[in-house]
Amino acid sequence: MPYKHYEEYNLDLTDDIKLKYQSIIENIGEDVSRDGLIKTPERASKAIQFLTQGYDLDAAEILKSAMFEESYNEMVIVKNIELYSLCEHHMLPFFGKAHIAYIPNGHIVGLSKLPRIVDVFARRLQVQERLTQQILDCINETLKPQGVAVVIEASHMCMMMRGVQKQNSVTTTSGFRGQFEKIETRNEFLKLISENLS
């Protein structure tokens, strides 16, 4: 299935993860039977399944489901795409915005599909560098445009809450293919999104 709003849960898997969260809560010294925590293991189980649902989705199929022949061959930009992911090193959130551009080569894609593929890859255990690369490669290999550009800017809770505890740090990653490897095309894209970058 190309895309599904995921609010259904495998009961056996949910129960298994629930027991593990219950054990973690007990191991940190909390009383899992107190009012505020009675349903927490189940809620956490469903939350982690939702936040990692990208493993069950096929980003290329999402793009293919809304590809259309079109002679337009100028830059298409979708910017300020909100993203939320989990750092694979600490399983803490990182969040921010993705900016995507492509130059069609005979086909365009429904605009809503670009944010959806961001979600597919973001809803996995991730590092920002790989997330950028996966989005870039998926668009490039599926749509086969003249060029693709992806910029992601994100704040990482593993840097803000623990470790160096730098609350105002923002990480920016980028990737370019095809026409965007040319400095003039890249600069045009960066100029058009520059009002959003720190």
Side-chain angles (χ1 to χ4, degrees):
M1 179 173 292
Y3 181 77
K4 179 180 179 183
H5 182 69
Y6 192 95
E7 285 294 345
E8 300 172 7
Y9 301 93
N10 177 298
L11 293 179
D12 290 337
L13 179 61
T14 300
D15 284 345
D16 187 43
I17 298 172
K18 171 184 169 181
L19 291 174
K20 290 175 171 63
Y21 272 114
Q22 182 174 323
S23 178
I24 290 169
I25 292 168
E26 289 170 342
N27 285 339
I28 64 172
E30 261 290 2
D31 177 6
V32 78
S33 66
R34 72 175 175 84
D35 268 357
L37 291 176
I38 290 174
K39 293 188 176 180
T40 297
E42 182 177 352
R43 291 189 191 105
S45 174
K46 290 179 178 178
I48 195 67
Q49 290 177 72
F50 178 85
L51 295 171
T52 58
Q53 66 179 280
Y55 291 113
D56 298 322
L57 300 173
D58 187 327
E61 287 303 313
I62 290 171
L63 286 181
K64 289 175 186 175
S65 72
M67 283 176 59
F68 309 99
E69 288 188 16
E70 186 60 56
S71 60
Y72 184 83
N73 62 359
E74 301 295 331
M75 194 182 301
V76 178
I77 301 176
V78 180
K79 59 184 181 179
N80 295 327
I81 301 169
E82 294 178 5
L83 69 87
Y84 302 90
S85 192
L86 290 174
C87 162
E88 68 180 33
H89 300 140
H90 305 96
M91 291 184 66
L92 289 172
F94 67 93
F95 57 93
K97 294 178 181 178
H99 312 286
I100 299 173
Y102 74 98
I103 300 172
N105 188 23
H107 289 88
I108 60 171
V109 67
L111 295 177
S112 70
K113 303 307 178 190
L114 296 176
R116 284 183 175 178
I117 67 163
V118 171
D119 282 348
V120 168
F121 293 117
R123 288 178 180 164
R124 301 177 182 186
L125 300 183
Q126 276 290 12
V127 293
Q128 185 174 329
E129 296 88 343
R130 185 194 309 125
L131 175 60
T132 305
Q133 190 76 40
Q134 288 175 329
I135 295 167
L136 185 76
D137 288 344
C138 180
I139 297 169
N140 194 51
E141 293 166 11
T142 308
L143 198 55
K144 302 190 187 311
Q146 297 180 56
V148 189
V150 176
V151 170
I152 293 177
E153 46 180 345
S155 298
H156 292 248
M157 298 304 284
C158 58
M159 289 181 65
M160 298 166 72
M161 292 178 67
R162 65 174 307 284
V164 295
Q165 298 181 53
K166 301 300 180 187
Q167 283 75 30
N168 297 312
S169 61
V170 175
T171 301
T172 301
T173 50
S174 61
F176 306 96
R177 293 285 184 277
Q179 291 296 318
F180 287 96
E181 294 176 272
K182 296 179 179 178
I183 192 67
E184 61 272 17
T185 310
R186 183 184 307 191
N187 284 346
E188 180 185 352
F189 166 66
L190 294 174
K191 181 180 178 182
L192 288 168
I193 67 167
S194 61
E195 63 205 55
N196 303 107
L197 297 176
S198 301

